[in-house]
């Protein structure tokens, strides 16, 4: 690892890495309500506040709905706002997720991904954030605690870019990452503050015809999020879509700029490819599972099997062109989903990757594996079985079962 600026190595779990990154990002307001497995994030941050290590207003709310509402209110007045949640907490925020993105408030939220009830389960899968994939938030999924730290810092710079102005979710797998201790290379406080910078505001014309900064300010009255009926609502939504498209380039630029000071980058910021250029059989996945898949790819490559991995780091906006280009040489692809779309003929990642490949010049065989729901472990042997299945598909030249369930008792 090339380190451009001096860094310190700390032993942090994923939640602590997130909290440390938020602390260094000069956040003005943190509003939160505790829920496993994200509680450590806001506990650590409350300690920073109590110890006088940050000048942040910490708001303990009575629910997650109120936590995001408080962050939204702070953000539209020009403050830098952060929160964290998981599972049922994120579900309770559902209404405010859409309000926040619709108000173009660049709130950053860490999600320690966890299963949704019922039955009650506190362990990790992607059911919570996948349910919110169309809420207008950028979604970044990380592979380890180091990437959780780096991605939270990057998230503020992405969200607050004036060509984007959209909220960002950074997802880390519950317990697998949130509670696992790792060595994390951290930048100095000054380096992070210089990288993130201060919020900048676009100018808009207010109701008095004056040009004012786009924020709520008593000296420059304006309004945000008022009623918009059929004559205007559609245009607001179209602008959000354009901002998502702009985010594709901004995420890549921020990933590159961050690499220049830290020595670390994650693919191009959108996708992270591992031996996939010449791969005949490839797996597509999100999050911490990529670490296990990489180990299996290394074993298979040593055996002469052309295996590869495509980790989708940014799921929203979906990097369609990068997915198509990266998988252009693959002959058989398995998409791993850590959530279900009940009755949808496959998981959400499978749907979107298959959709992206529809317009490709060459179409690989493509199958879906639902796995790891409720925190169930996925072993290297199970990953190896997926690659063996893909090799069989190439031999028999057809897909026998489109959607499969990995590690399930049936």
């Amino acid at each position: 690892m090339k380190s451009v600026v001096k860094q310190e190595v700390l032993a942090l779990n994923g939640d602590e890495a997130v909290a440390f990154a938020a602390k260094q990002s000069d956040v003005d307001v943190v509003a939160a309500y505790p829920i496993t497995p994200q509680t450590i994030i806001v506990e650590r941050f409350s300690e920073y506040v109590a110890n006088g290590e940050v000048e942040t207003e910490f708001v303990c709310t009575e629910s997650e709905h109120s936590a995001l509402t408080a962050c939204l209110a702070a953000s539209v007045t020009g403050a830098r706002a952060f929160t964290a949640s998981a599972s049922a907490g994120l579900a309770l925020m559902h209404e405010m997720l859409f309000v926040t993105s619709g108000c173009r408030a660049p709130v950053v939220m860490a999600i320690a991904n966890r299963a949704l009830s019922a039955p009650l389960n506190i362990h990790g899968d992607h059911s919570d954030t996948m349910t919110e994939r169309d809420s207008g938030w950028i979604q970044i999924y990380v592979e380890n605690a180091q990437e959780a730290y780096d991605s939270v810092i990057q998230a503020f710079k992405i969200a607050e870019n004036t060509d984007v102005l959209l909220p960002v979710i950074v997802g880390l797998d519950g317990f697998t990452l949130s509670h696992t201790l790792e060595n994390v290379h951290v930048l100095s406080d000054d380096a992070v503050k210089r990288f993130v910078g201060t919020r900048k505001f676009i100018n808009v014309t207010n109701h008095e015809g004056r040009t004012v900064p786009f924020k709520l300010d008593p000296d420059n009255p304006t309004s945000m999020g008022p009623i918009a009926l059929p004559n205007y609502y559609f245009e607001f939504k179209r602008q959000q879509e354009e901002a998502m498209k702009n985010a594709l380039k901004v995420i890549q630029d921020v990933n590159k700029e961050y690499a220049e000071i830290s020595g670390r980058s994650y693919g191009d910021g959108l996708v992270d490819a591992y031996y996939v250029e010449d791969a005949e059989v490839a797996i597509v996945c999100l999050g911490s599972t990529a670490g296990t898949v990489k180990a299996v790819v290394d074993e298979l490559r040593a055996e002469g099997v052309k295996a590869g991995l495509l980790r989708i780091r940014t799921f929203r906006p979906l990097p369609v062109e990068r997915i198509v280009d990266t998988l252009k040489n693959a002959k058989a692809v398995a998409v791993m989903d850590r959530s279900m779309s009940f009755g949808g003929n496959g998981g959400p990642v499978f749907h979107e990757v298959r959709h992206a490949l529809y317009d490709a010049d060459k179409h690989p065989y493509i199958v879906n594996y639902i796995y790891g729901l409720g925190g169930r472990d996925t072993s290297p042997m199970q990953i190896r079985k997926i690659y063996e299945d893909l090799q069989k598909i190439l031999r028999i030249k057809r897909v026998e079962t489109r959607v499969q369930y990995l590690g399930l008792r049936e």
Side-chain angles (χ1 to χ4, degrees):
M1 180 189 301
K2 180 182 178 183
S3 177
V4 178
V5 299
K6 185 178 180 181
Q7 298 180 51
E8 186 180 2
V9 180
L10 301 179
L12 301 172
N13 63 40
D15 278 356
E16 291 171 329
V18 167
F20 199 81
K23 169 192 170 186
Q24 293 184 306
S25 298
D26 206 15
V27 176
D28 299 303
V29 175
V30 172
Y33 187 84
I35 181 171
T36 302
Q38 78 79 17
T39 303
I40 295 171
I41 298 174
V42 290
E43 281 182 347
R44 290 292 176 274
F45 205 95
S46 68
E47 291 171 5
Y48 299 146
V49 175
N51 295 338
E53 298 178 57
V54 291
E55 296 179 0
T56 304
E57 190 69 30
F58 189 90
V59 185
C60 297
T61 57
E62 81 283 8
S63 73
E64 287 87 350
H65 187 284
S66 299
L68 186 52
T69 304
C71 286
L72 165 63
S75 182
V76 295
T77 63
R80 180 170 288 157
F82 172 81
T83 187
S85 193
S87 185
L90 182 62
L92 189 56
M93 289 178 174
H94 178 73
E95 176 193 13
M96 297 312 298
L97 288 168
F98 285 80
V99 179
T100 303
S101 63
C103 285
R104 308 296 297 274
V107 175
V108 171
M109 174 162 56
I111 298 295
N113 288 111
R114 170 187 146 179
L116 284 164
S117 300
L120 178 65
N121 184 299
I122 63 168
H123 292 276
D125 69 31
H126 296 159
S127 303
D128 48 7
T129 45
M130 282 297 155
T131 302
E132 307 296 350
R133 62 188 181 275
D134 293 331
S135 63
W137 286 58
I138 293 168
Q139 289 195 358
I140 295 172
Y141 292 82
V142 305
E143 183 180 336
N144 49 46
Q146 180 68 67
E147 190 177 357
Y149 168 81
D150 294 332
S151 298
V152 168
I153 294 170
Q154 293 179 23
F156 288 106
K157 200 171 181 70
I158 295 165
E160 295 174 8
N161 185 291
T162 53
D163 289 331
V164 178
L165 291 180
L166 289 173
V168 178
I169 284 174
V170 176
L172 61 157
D173 290 337
F175 288 102
T176 306
L177 297 184
S178 65
H179 286 61
T180 300
L181 202 65
E182 298 181 39
N183 285 338
V184 177
H185 295 251
V186 301
L187 301 164
S188 68
D189 292 352
D190 288 341
V192 174
K193 286 182 180 177
R194 283 196 301 273
F195 177 79
V196 177
T198 56
R199 275 191 69 178
K200 296 179 176 57
F201 301 91
I202 59 171
N203 288 326
V204 296
T205 303
N206 72 358
H207 66 285
E208 297 172 325
R210 292 194 293 129
T211 300
V212 299
F214 182 56
K215 64 178 180 178
L216 295 183
D217 179 357
D219 294 331
N220 296 298
T222 188
S223 61
M224 292 185 191
I227 188 170
L229 296 179
N231 55 344
Y232 279 111
Y233 181 86
F234 203 167
E235 282 72 21
F236 279 105
K237 299 300 108 177
R238 177 67 181 85
Q239 288 176 356
Q240 284 181 243
E241 175 63 13
E242 199 63 21
M244 274 288 184
K245 289 182 180 177
N246 293 343
L248 287 167
K249 182 176 185 306
V250 171
I251 291 168
Q252 293 178 82
D253 290 345
V254 170
N255 181 63
K256 190 181 300 181
E257 186 180 346
Y258 190 78
E260 291 172 359
I261 64 165
S262 68
R264 293 183 295 277
S265 61
Y266 300 97
D268 63 356
L270 303 173
V271 300
D272 193 5
Y274 192 73
Y275 287 112
V276 78
E277 295 84 1
D278 65 341
E280 294 183 341
V281 289
I283 283 178
V284 178
C285 71
L286 277 61
S288 63
T289 304
T292 309
V293 177
K294 286 176 180 176
V296 176
V297 168
D298 289 344
E299 293 174 0
L300 292 172
R301 284 277 169 172
E303 297 168 14
V305 177
K306 289 187 175 181
L309 162 69
L310 172 62
R311 178 172 71 92
I312 298 177
R313 179 176 185 247
T314 303
F315 188 66
R316 281 292 183 274
L318 187 72
V320 173
E321 291 182 6
R322 294 294 296 123
I323 291 171
V324 171
D325 183 62
T326 307
L327 293 175
K328 63 180 181 294
N329 293 321
K331 297 176 181 176
V333 174
V335 181
M336 298 181 70
D337 266 288
R338 207 168 180 186
S339 67
M340 294 183 74
S341 175
F342 302 105
N345 189 33
V349 183
F350 171 69
H351 291 158
E352 307 225 0
V353 172
R354 199 179 184 205
H355 151 70
L357 293 174
Y358 184 82
D359 291 327
D361 294 333
K362 293 186 289 186
H363 296 98
Y365 296 106
I366 183 164
V367 291
N368 188 204
Y369 288 82
I370 309 291
Y371 77 105
L373 300 191
R376 180 163 298 182
D377 283 340
T378 300
S379 69
M381 290 301 295
Q382 290 170 329
I383 300 293
R384 177 177 275 267
K385 176 66 167 54
I386 292 177
Y387 281 112
E388 290 172 354
D389 290 349
L390 293 176
Q391 290 174 294
K392 179 183 176 184
I393 287 171
L394 292 182
R395 287 196 303 273
I396 66 175
K397 300 184 185 307
R398 69 177 188 279
V399 172
E400 292 180 313
T401 306
R402 181 74 62 192
V403 180
Q404 300 191 46
Y405 301 91
L406 194 67
L408 179 72
R409 295 186 297 272
E410 288 192 283

